[in-house]
Amino acid sequence: MLILKIKIFQINNERDAHDVKFMNLDRTARIQKTDKIDPQIYDEVFSGDIDAKTLEDVFTRFNTESHPLHRGHSLSVSDIVQTDEGAFFCDSVGFQKVDFDATLTQKPDNLMTIVYVEPNRPPFVSEVAHTLEAEQRAVCGYIEPIYMEDDNVCLIGNEESKLMGMAGNRRLGESTIIAGPFFVVGLTEDDFRSLTDEEVMTYMERFKEPEQISQAEVESDMGFTIINFS
């Protein structure tokens, strides 16, 4: 399976003056009296890398297991999927390439820029809403901040990942293992914040290589350690 970099956009009901959400491309054009898609009624609901070869793979993924960082509903007719090849309208059957200015879409104000790291995969840059619910969903359970000597950032993992049998993800320092998905986020004196561009580059490089970690290794490591990356 290849890694596909995508963004997903879905119509916001509050800005959908023509009620075209879930309408196919032909009907949308008739209702709006134009064949142009209006990006201003769309919200960005996902940005990241997934294992997929085709748009059909994307459709299947976001109608079955979805993704922990996905903020929208199951992928449906009228949604837009953007790849390096352009923007594609999810039609009644298949996808249709359309002109779509993603800069005119909207997204929540409370998003934080993060580096997201999954077991056996390269990391990618994405965003997560700064709410407990969204942060828990991102790691598939109760969050556990893992503080490091670089007190400007921390890792957010799943507190029960090893008890739940999640796959080993990355080694931190010489012996500590983190299991399950985690993300790197910035810190203020008393809160989380978006990573800076420099921090993004640092941790994309730090975690760029997936690691092979056996389940036995994961089970043998249940401690807590402050990690020094210097």
Side-chain angles (χ1 to χ4, degrees):
M1 190 68 73
L2 299 176
I3 294 176
L4 195 62
K5 185 179 295 293
I6 67 168
K7 290 187 176 183
I8 296 177
F9 304 89
Q10 295 177 335
I11 293 174
N12 185 307
N13 290 328
E14 295 181 358
R15 301 196 302 277
D16 183 16
H18 296 287
D19 294 325
V20 294
K21 187 170 185 175
F22 304 130
M23 298 294 178
N24 65 23
L25 194 56
D26 286 343
R27 186 169 176 78
T28 297
R30 290 199 302 272
I31 292 173
Q32 295 187 156
K33 299 180 180 179
T34 176
D35 59 359
K36 294 184 180 297
I37 300 298
D38 181 8
Q40 297 183 79
I41 67 174
Y42 280 82
D43 287 340
E44 180 187 310
V45 297
F46 178 77
S47 176
D49 299 354
I50 65 168
D51 294 329
K53 292 182 180 178
T54 67
L55 291 170
E56 285 69 28
D57 292 337
V58 175
F59 185 86
T60 298
R61 169 70 184 270
F62 284 86
N63 275 276
T64 53
E65 58 183 306
S66 187
H67 191 282
L69 296 179
H70 184 219
R71 301 185 296 274
H73 55 70
S74 297
L75 197 62
S76 304
V77 173
S78 78
D79 295 348
I80 300 288
V81 179
Q82 186 179 60
T83 72
D84 291 340
E85 302 298 320
F88 298 86
F89 184 97
C90 184
D91 214 347
S92 299
V93 178
F95 289 83
Q96 303 294 329
K97 192 171 186 178
V98 293
D99 290 328
F100 187 80
D101 186 353
T103 65
L104 299 178
T105 64
Q106 297 186 29
K107 54 186 176 181
D109 294 330
N110 66 341
L111 297 182
M112 300 184 297
T113 301
I114 61 172
V115 169
Y116 192 71
V117 189
E118 298 170 282
N120 305 310
R121 299 184 72 255
F124 61 85
V125 182
S126 190
E127 294 170 318
V128 65
H130 188 10
T131 67
L132 179 60
E133 179 184 10
E135 291 158 4
Q136 288 179 336
R137 188 166 59 248
V139 299
C140 307
Y142 295 116
I143 64 171
E144 178 185 18
I146 301 173
Y147 297 99
M148 300 173 289
E149 289 203 357
D150 177 1
D151 57 8
N152 291 315
V153 303
C154 74
L155 310 186
I156 305 297
N158 184 314
E159 182 179 52
E160 300 176 323
S161 60
K162 293 168 186 174
L163 295 175
M164 296 168 65
M166 289 185 170
N169 190 338
R170 297 297 197 275
R171 294 179 176 86
L172 304 180
E174 295 183 359
S175 59
T176 300
I177 292 171
I178 185 167
F182 68 87
F183 61 90
V184 187
V185 68
L187 290 175
T188 66
E189 289 185 0
D190 56 4
D191 205 355
F192 301 144
R193 60 163 174 81
S194 288
L195 296 174
T196 65
D197 290 345
E198 182 178 357
E199 289 166 345
V200 165
M201 291 177 60
T202 296
Y203 289 96
M204 284 291 288
E205 176 66 22
R206 168 66 181 83
F207 296 117
K208 69 178 181 180
E209 296 296 338
E211 298 181 44
Q212 299 299 314
I213 302 173
S214 71
Q215 201 59 30
E217 289 180 274
V218 174
E219 293 172 0
S220 68
D221 178 48
M222 296 286 185
F224 174 84
T225 307
I226 295 178
I227 306 301
N228 182 3
F229 283 140
S230 61

